[in-house]
Amino acid sequence: MSVLEVYAAAFGHCRAWAEAGASSPFEMLAPAFATPIVPPFDAESIAILLSSQTDLASANKVEDFRATLTQHFQQISSMAFEADCEPWYRKDMTQLLCECLLFFDVTYRQQELIAILIQSVIDFGRDAMATIAFLLCCRAFWRHGRADTAFAETDWLVGAAARAIQRANEYLMSEFVGQVSLLELVQGM
């Protein structure tokens, strides 16, 4: 079985989790990641998988996502991504989510990360929820990214992502859609 096939099988469970409303904890996905051989991290396979199975590359959605986040980062005077070699707004959604959930030290980017997760669910719906779950499970169960050196960070990410997905879903199902800013949604998280 190729790395792409292993990833695709695990992602299928994450998609089903998202389509069921993402109401069960991420830990329920553990059996899908209990593979006999842990696949090595393969960014190219993840990019191929997510581009073929999600709508994360939709130009209109990406544009809306970037516009909302730019406004939010300006409102909070965030400089958290200023030191990165490539600006966050030039990255495609797959790269941005992979870097945020697998490789960034989130110590000084927690509020920005929560904003990215909430807005991705608002703009990309179940595709974002499945992708977030998949990447977090890759980190937690297959030890991809910073998992081996940042145990507390991984635990924080799993909890924060679950709360961000829940917050975004509550907002999308409320009568306040379009009336609440991202800043208001992030507050209190």
Side-chain angles (χ1 to χ4, degrees), residues 78-169:
S78 174
M79 303 287 268
F81 291 96
E82 294 299 317
D84 294 345
C85 295
E86 181 181 6
W88 70 269
Y89 52 83
R90 289 195 184 143
K91 298 175 184 181
D92 63 38
M93 288 302 298
T94 298
Q95 181 183 2
L96 181 63
L97 290 173
C98 275
E99 288 180 5
C100 286
L101 297 173
L102 296 176
F103 298 108
F104 282 164
D105 176 349
V106 299
T107 305
Y108 302 105
R109 304 174 191 209
Q110 292 177 351
Q111 292 302 306
E112 291 85 356
L113 177 62
I114 289 170
I116 287 169
L117 297 176
I118 288 173
Q119 193 59 44
S120 66
V121 172
I122 290 170
D123 288 330
F124 298 94
R126 292 181 175 147
D127 284 340
M129 292 189 299
T131 300
I132 292 165
F134 174 73
L135 293 172
L136 285 174
C137 288
C138 285
R139 181 176 175 141
F141 301 123
W142 289 338
R143 315 307 294 163
H144 289 346
R146 293 171 43 90
D148 284 333
T149 59
F151 301 110
E153 181 180 271
T154 299
D155 289 343
W156 181 86
L157 276 169
V158 169
R163 290 187 304 277
I165 289 170
Q166 180 181 9
R167 175 74 54 99
N169 280 332

Side-chain angles (χ1 to χ4, degrees), residues 15-26:
R15 176 165 294 292
W17 173 84
E19 289 173 356
S23 56
S24 59
F26 288 125

